[in-house]
Amino acid sequence: QVDNPFIAEQLDYIQDVERERAEANLALMEGNPEQKTAFEQVTTSVAGNHGQLFFLNGPGGTGKTFVYKTICHAVRARGWISLCVASTGIAALLLPGGRTAHSMFKIPIEGLIEESFCTISKQSPRAELLRHTRLIIWDESPMQSRLAFEALDRTCQDIRNNDRPFGGITVVFGGDFQQILPVVVKGSQEDIVLACLKRSYIWPLVTPLKLI
């Protein structure tokens, strides 16, 4: 019996069912080497606690959501916690157990600055959830300000007491940079580009995975 409601919710998946779903999806990936490579790289990082960062890049229709789901099922089949979030509510609905990033990680809605943290105290149940998390999948990342990713990065390092990226959690960002970029109120084109994930100190640490 797990007292923490956040952890209990994330462990409330039937491992055998998750394993069957992962295996069924993997069989469908046999004809798509890009999807299979993405799956293998991410799950290897999760299994080895390598804490790698990835960006799953591909236009609509290349199967990003299918890859996210397969990875998620495989991770949950082993009794590990995988948090699925997206920058928009509609995209979050497509992910198994999906939430918006702001609701899951308590990212400040207003006043995000270079030094911001998420509003999660180290003693809270949500912090305990992050200490047990093996994987974060974050869809529609190009729409989000880089300051949101950086706030979560600092928060995870603080909560997990180390200076590894995101405290050592494997993170899969995803989306298509040819679609909508972050909205900057009254911002110039330059301001919008500067707000983008590719302009973050996190980006050089990210391994791109391309779907075609």
Side-chain angles (χ1 to χ4, degrees), residues 7-185:
I7 294 176
E9 179 190 7
Q10 295 299 330
L11 294 178
D12 196 28
Y13 293 94
I14 300 166
Q15 290 184 28
D16 288 344
V17 173
E18 294 297 304
R19 189 173 298 108
E20 285 169 13
R21 287 173 176 165
E23 287 169 357
N25 283 6
L26 270 172
L28 296 173
M29 277 185 185
E30 284 305 325
N32 193 316
E34 290 85 13
Q35 290 182 352
K36 192 115 188 284
T37 298
F39 172 85
E40 287 169 352
Q41 287 201 36
V42 173
T43 49
T44 298
S45 174
V46 175
N49 261 328
H50 299 155
Q52 284 178 270
L53 311 180
F54 300 94
F55 186 89
L56 190 61
N57 188 11
T62 51
K64 290 191 296 293
T65 304
F66 178 68
V67 175
Y68 299 144
K69 286 180 175 177
T70 311
I71 292 168
C72 204
H73 293 321
V75 170
R76 288 171 176 165
R78 299 180 74 164
W80 295 334
I81 291 177
S82 167
L83 302 180
C84 294
V85 302
S87 299
T88 65
I90 291 172
L93 289 173
L94 300 175
L95 300 171
R99 297 272 195 286
T100 64
H102 281 81
S103 68
M104 177 69 82
F105 302 128
K106 299 296 173 197
I107 300 166
I109 300 286
E110 293 179 3
L112 262 182
I113 56 171
E114 301 281 349
E115 295 81 32
S116 290
F117 280 78
C118 302
T119 50
I120 304 174
S121 78
K122 286 185 84 164
Q123 289 73 44
S124 68
R126 206 176 286 268
E128 190 64 22
L129 170 66
L130 284 173
R131 279 191 278 274
H132 285 83
T133 297
R134 285 280 193 125
L135 171 69
I136 293 171
I137 293 174
W138 193 328
D139 193 19
E140 300 292 3
S141 304
M143 295 176 66
Q144 195 85 59
S145 166
R146 66 179 173 82
L147 298 176
F149 307 115
E150 293 169 7
L152 180 63
D153 176 40
R154 279 187 288 274
T155 302
C156 288
Q157 289 182 13
D158 182 44
I159 286 171
R160 292 167 66 103
N161 290 321
N162 66 61
D163 58 1
R164 297 172 68 194
F166 294 90
I169 300 172
T170 297
V171 182
V172 180
F173 303 108
D176 179 7
F177 281 106
Q178 294 176 330
Q179 292 181 358
I180 300 169
L181 292 178
V183 173
V184 179
V185 179

